[in-house]
Amino acid sequence: MKQPGDRTPAPGRLALVQDLLNTVDIEADRDRLRTIAELAAFAAAHGCAELTFTDSDVTETRRFREALRDACRGHTGAKVPAASAAVLRYTLGTAPLVLTIDDAGAARAVPAGRLDGSAALIATVAAAILDAVAAGTWPRLKSCAAHRCQWVYYDHSPAGRGRWCTMSICGSRAKMRAYRAARSARS
């Protein structure tokens, strides 16, 4: 998925999480997960073509997506709303993972067997998040501080203190608003 300002996407399986979160463009009021077909297309594009979905899966995935966006906003210092934390606890509880160890001894969390629909997709996302936690990359997946944007980006900055999806768009707008406010206060 093309990133604002041609940013490099999140590394590894964390790109799946970023892609899910960015299926909605808040500023343009466009959502690419409105129907069963759109959810199935997203899942297929991310290696989950065998899943089947219902209307309630679409609703559950969208609800999970927005709560997860709040968690990524937490990576910028914002408090995760209690309602979003509750959604994440509930939804992740319905999408269990199991630990597998391959013949080379490598361990990996994978969705529990017999999951389908949103539970299987959410478990796949949860496994990707666990990979990112282990790699230390999870805190760098952030939601843009611009309320009208909220695009989820991967913060590649050396200090990991990025606030906007791109400095040339949202960062510039924020600085211009601050400048105008300061100038107005002096007048």
Side-chain angles (χ1 to χ4, degrees), residues 47-67:
C48 300
E50 74 286 354
L51 301 178
T52 57
F53 298 100
T54 64
D55 285 330
S56 64
D57 288 320
V58 173
T59 301
E60 188 65 23
T61 302
R62 289 175 63 175
R63 198 171 86 139
F64 173 71
R65 176 190 66 193
E66 295 314 310

Side-chain angles (χ1 to χ4, degrees), residues 44-175:
H46 290 85
C48 300
E50 74 286 354
L51 301 178
T52 57
F53 298 100
T54 64
D55 285 330
S56 64
D57 288 320
V58 173
T59 301
E60 188 65 23
T61 302
R62 289 175 63 175
R63 198 171 86 139
F64 173 71
R65 176 190 66 193
E66 295 314 310
L68 194 55
R69 180 184 318 285
D70 284 341
C72 289
R73 196 171 299 114
H75 296 160
T76 64
K79 185 170 171 49
V80 178
S84 293
V87 166
L88 291 171
R89 272 191 307 278
Y90 171 78
T91 306
L92 292 169
T94 64
L97 299 172
V98 296
L99 181 65
T100 63
I101 300 177
D102 66 20
D103 57 0
R108 183 175 180 180
V110 297
R114 294 179 284 186
L115 290 178
D116 196 23
S118 61
L121 181 59
I122 290 167
T124 302
V125 169
I129 292 170
L130 281 178
D131 286 353
V133 169
T137 56
W138 171 239
R140 287 183 174 258
L141 193 64
K142 300 177 178 182
S143 178
C144 182
H147 183 71
R148 288 185 357 216
C149 177
Q150 297 182 41
W151 187 263
V152 175
Y153 65 96
Y154 186 80
D155 185 356
H156 288 278
S157 69
R161 288 184 280 201
R163 295 198 47 198
W164 299 286
C165 62
T166 179
M167 193 61 196
S168 63
I169 301 171
C170 291
S172 178
R173 290 175 186 167
K175 287 187 173 205

